[in-house]
Amino acid sequence: NSAATVGTSAALLVASPLANRNKIIIQNNGIAPIYIGTSGVTTANGIKIAGGANAELNLNASAAVYARCAAGTVDCRILESAY
């Protein structure tokens, strides 16, 4: 488990992925939406996670996930799983 603060620039959510990761859950603990995607994620092209919502993605450890918000900062939680 880890925590991240998402700001207005694209930021890597997990710097050291779990070995053999096959799933990642990203929870938006804030009120404002966050947007996830590749390193070039924007509020126009990212996948929106509304405030209080989460996203579950089937991703291996080599897949990097970035996030940003439109203004201010947003608190997030990240859970990775492997088998």
Side-chain angles (χ1 to χ4, degrees), residues 6-45:
V6 174
T8 57
S9 297
L12 184 62
L13 288 181
V14 179
S16 298
L18 180 66
N20 300 315
R21 177 180 77 194
N22 64 342
K23 185 177 293 185
I24 183 169
I25 300 170
I26 304 163
Q27 179 184 38
N28 180 347
N29 272 355
I31 297 169
I34 63 169
Y35 301 84
I36 60 171
T38 62
S39 60
V41 67
T42 67
T43 56
N45 68 16

